[in-house]
Amino acid sequence: MDKELKYGLGNYQQTRRIVLAVLVVVLFAALLFGQSTFPPDTAMHETIEMFGVLLIFLGIIGRLWSTLYIGGRKSSEVVTGGPYSITRNPLYVFSTLAAAGVGAQIGSFSGIILFAVLCAGAFHIVILREEKFLKETLGAPYQAYLARVPRFFPKLSLYQEGDTGSFKPRLLLTTLLDGLVFLMALPAFELIDGAQQSGMLPVWFTLP
C-alpha cells in the first residue's frame, strides 16, 4: 500500500476543506479592489447579488443532502443513492455552486464564472486523488460506479432515491458549519461596497 493509501480518505477530505477555505479567502482578498461595471444599488447589481444568495443556499442545502447519504461511509462502501446516483461528487458540485454564489456578491457575471471555475478546478485535483484511493479500497463495485455515473456534472436521468444509511448528526453539523464560510460573504461584500463608495478602498479593476 503506497503512502497515499496509508493516510486514507480522511486526509483528502481535510484537503477539500483547506482548498475551499483558501480559495474563498484568496478570491475575497483579490476582490477587495475590484468592482462590478454595474454600480451598487442598480437593478442589475442587486439582481445578480440575489441570484448569488440563492446559489449559496442551494449549495448549502445540497451539501447537507449529500451528507445525509454519504454519512462517513465513503471509504467503506459505494454509495449510489440520492445525489450520488447522478454525480460521483455532489459535495464538490454543491460547493462549487455556493462558490459561484459568493462570486455573485460583487454584482458581476464574471465573478460568478471566476469563482465557479477556480473552485471546480481546485476540486478536480482532490477528486482525482480520492478516486485513486477508492479504486484501491472498494475495487470492482466502485469501478462499475465510475463507468455508470459522471464524475462532476449531474445526469438527472440517473436519479435513484437509495438508502441514506445511519443518521449522523455530528457530520451534518460539520457540513453546516463548513457552509457558513459561504454565508460570511454576504455581509463582507456589503462592507466592501460601502468602503469603495466612501473612497476608503481604491478600485483597481472592474468586472462585467
Side-chain angles (χ1 to χ4, degrees), residues 67-90:
T67 300
L68 278 174
Y69 276 85
I70 201 67
R73 298 184 292 160
K74 190 169 187 175
S75 60
S76 60
E77 62 182 281
V78 181
V79 178
T80 60
Y84 289 89
S85 66
I86 57 177
T87 172
R88 301 201 302 268
N89 295 281

Side-chain angles (χ1 to χ4, degrees), residues 44-71:
M44 182 59 73
H45 188 105
E46 295 293 333
T47 299
I48 295 172
E49 283 187 343
M50 291 307 299
F51 177 65
V53 172
L54 176 62
L55 290 179
I56 289 173
F57 277 100
L58 284 176
I60 292 173
I61 292 169
R63 283 169 51 82
L64 291 171
W65 179 39
S66 301
T67 300
L68 278 174
Y69 276 85
I70 201 67

Side-chain angles (χ1 to χ4, degrees), residues 94-141:
F94 286 115
S95 293
T96 300
L97 196 66
V102 171
Q105 297 313 301
I106 196 176
S108 161
F109 294 113
S110 298
I112 296 174
I113 296 171
L114 177 65
F115 271 57
V117 169
L118 290 179
C119 189
F123 282 148
H124 180 71
I125 298 172
V126 180
I127 287 170
L128 293 179
R129 292 167 63 86
E130 284 188 351
E131 285 182 357
K132 180 180 179 181
F133 172 83
L134 293 172
K135 285 177 185 177
E136 295 281 349
T137 304
L138 301 178

